[in-house]
């Protein structure tokens, strides 16, 4: 997993994730995210480069949202990749994350989004 800092200004940092977010990367990625959350008011994660996500990676994204809320910090996920959208839909949490999700037309045809719609 490559984590690239794209911008940082006025307590807001934008990070781009590229590669796998699986059980093998979760511990290291969690530590990096916690560092950024503790020293900034807002963390924005660009998920467009996440090519593979497993249940541990999903749990990390879920737990980070809860952790940020408890610490009165803002955490936004943007540019969700297909892998991320599939997990969010599978667990029916698109609304829970409360992020604006832009789904390109070509990807919209591939995604079912049935679980999130039903919840």
């Amino acid at each position: 997993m490559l984590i690239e800092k794209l911008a940082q200004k006025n307590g807001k940092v934008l990070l781009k994730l590229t590669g796998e977010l699986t059980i093998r990367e979760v511990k290291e990625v969690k530590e990096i995210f916690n560092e950024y959350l503790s020293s900034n008011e807002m963390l924005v994660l660009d998920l467009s480069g996440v090519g593979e996500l497993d249940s541990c990676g999903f749990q990390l994204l879920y737990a980070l949202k809860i952790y940020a809320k408890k610490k009165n910090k803002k955490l936004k996920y943007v540019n969700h990749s297909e892998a991320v959208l599939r997990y969010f839909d599978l667990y029916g949490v698109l609304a829970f994350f409360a992020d604006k999700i832009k789904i390109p037309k070509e990807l919209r045809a591939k995604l079912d989004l049935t679980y999130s719609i039903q919840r």
Side-chain angles (χ1 to χ4, degrees), residues 59-106:
Q59 288 173 25
L60 174 63
L61 295 176
Y62 189 85
L64 282 172
K65 272 289 195 180
I66 294 169
Y67 176 77
K69 190 173 185 174
K70 284 182 182 178
K71 297 291 182 180
N72 293 318
K73 305 280 184 157
K74 294 180 183 174
L75 173 61
K76 290 185 180 182
Y77 299 131
V78 298
N79 303 325
H80 304 68
S81 70
E82 181 178 348
V84 172
L85 287 172
R86 287 191 183 282
Y87 260 89
F88 282 17
D89 180 46
L90 177 66
Y91 290 110
V93 296
L94 284 171
F96 165 80
F97 283 101
D99 297 312
K100 286 188 176 182
I101 298 175
K102 297 176 186 174
I103 304 173
K105 288 181 183 180
E106 62 275 3

Side-chain angles (χ1 to χ4, degrees), residues 1 3 20-35 54 56-57 59-60 64:
M1 169 67 50
I3 301 173
E20 299 177 354
L21 184 53
T22 64
I23 191 170
R24 294 180 298 278
E25 296 83 25
V26 165
K27 182 180 179 191
E28 177 186 347
V29 171
K30 178 184 175 214
E31 291 170 1
I32 293 169
F33 290 165
N34 282 339
E35 285 178 35
D54 67 4
C56 289
Q59 288 173 25
L60 174 63
L64 282 172

Side-chain angles (χ1 to χ4, degrees), residues 5 7 13 16-17 21 23 34 42-43 45 50 58 62 64 71 77 88 115 118:
K5 182 168 63 171
V13 65
K16 181 172 182 176
L17 283 64
L21 184 53
I23 191 170
N34 282 339
M42 179 181 220
L43 179 59
L45 299 179
V50 178
F58 165 77
Y62 189 85
L64 282 172
K71 297 291 182 180
Y77 299 131
F88 282 17
Y115 297 107
Q118 293 174 358

